[in-house]
Amino acid sequence: MATDTQPGTGGQITGNVLFYSKPEPLTSDHHKTLGVKRMDGPFGFAKAGHAVPLTVTEFPLAAVSGPIIFVGDDKMPLAVMGLNAGDNMFIQDNGIFESGVYIPAYIRRYPFVFANDDKAQQMVLCIDRAAEFIVEGGEMAFFDEKGEPTEYTQNCISFCNDYEVERQRTQSFIQILRDNDLFELKTAMHTPVNADGTPGEPQKIAEYFGVSEEKLAKLSPEKLAELRDNGALGQIYAHLVSLVGWDRLIALAMFRASQQPQAANA
């Protein structure tokens, strides 16, 4: 998929996208003097994203960090990066990811994003003007002296194009799971331990869609071979393996809670 950095005349950008609070079509007329400044901690904006969209080709890499789940009627795959809304547990207060954590492409493409121009009926490249690292005279300029996209901007356009291709591939993967009736509703539970060492009351952490291992096991050898050959089977197993990541998130949350200073007795 290719796009142009110029929006349609009078076009209106629609849609609501995680992290992007002020998307604007990128044009030399409005953004010629702008660029991106270098920051030691560039991912502070993603601290509010405890569940981030994921493409299917990212499953094996993301599986080592945390659970990969599917949500909503469209079964969108998400990388779970925290137990509570608005708290990405893998991003430190200084805007840097914890070492060894996979950073989804959805986060890496920020502040760029494609958006719908309903009037022109096309996709246009936008930037989030609210991004703190977009400034006048930034080291990585969007446009050169002639008003043409710089190499930096061209690389970002290419990355966004590739992301759109992967997003479409992800939709095809989800359709394969639908066609084979592999989705089921799953629940992530946690049983805390009381002060005396006895099991506490089980707590529901999340409810989501995932692949049913029972349904997968009942597929015919021919169907399994088909899933293997089209690459879907490996991604399914990556998803299933990732679900042990709930234990990692719970353990991390419990550790951090234990490090919080206790209130003094009145």
Side-chain angles (χ1 to χ4, degrees), residues 89-139:
M89 298 170 67
F90 296 145
I91 299 180
Q92 303 171 30
D93 292 338
N94 58 7
I96 297 177
F97 267 90
E98 296 283 355
S99 177
V101 172
Y102 176 72
I103 305 174
Y106 184 96
I107 293 177
R108 286 182 278 122
R109 72 172 178 172
Y110 186 85
F112 293 89
V113 67
F114 281 132
N116 292 318
D117 183 336
D118 290 340
K119 186 173 182 178
Q121 295 186 342
Q122 66 179 4
M123 299 287 283
V124 296
L125 184 70
C126 296
I127 56 171
D128 184 8
R129 191 62 186 86
E132 66 173 324
F133 41 73
I134 294 181
V135 297
E136 292 282 344
E139 296 100 311

Side-chain angles (χ1 to χ4, degrees), residues 138-179:
E139 296 100 311
M140 294 171 284
F142 294 140
F143 298 95
D144 60 22
E145 295 82 359
K146 297 179 180 180
E148 297 296 325
T150 60
E151 181 179 358
Y152 167 74
T153 300
Q154 292 175 13
N155 289 337
C156 292
I157 292 172
S158 178
F159 187 91
C160 288
N161 276 326
D162 292 343
Y163 184 86
E164 285 300 306
V165 171
E166 293 303 323
R167 189 177 63 82
Q168 294 171 19
R169 182 175 288 123
T170 301
Q171 292 176 339
S172 297
F173 170 75
I174 292 171
Q175 190 58 50
I176 289 174
L177 299 185
R178 290 181 187 273
D179 292 344

Side-chain angles (χ1 to χ4, degrees), residues 169-212:
R169 182 175 288 123
T170 301
Q171 292 176 339
S172 297
F173 170 75
I174 292 171
Q175 190 58 50
I176 289 174
L177 299 185
R178 290 181 187 273
D179 292 344
N180 288 279
D181 189 29
L182 290 177
F183 282 116
E184 69 173 0
L185 195 62
K186 293 176 177 281
T187 302
M189 301 291 296
H190 169 55
T191 302
V193 178
N194 295 323
D196 60 1
T198 60
E201 188 71 22
Q203 301 174 0
K204 180 189 291 188
I205 298 174
E207 194 170 73
Y208 60 95
F209 290 102
V211 171
S212 167

Side-chain angles (χ1 to χ4, degrees), residues 244-264:
V244 301
W246 287 116
D247 292 336
R248 177 187 182 185
L249 292 178
I250 292 168
L252 182 58
M254 293 177 64
F255 172 76
R256 291 184 177 178
S258 69
Q259 301 302 302
Q260 296 296 321
Q262 300 296 317

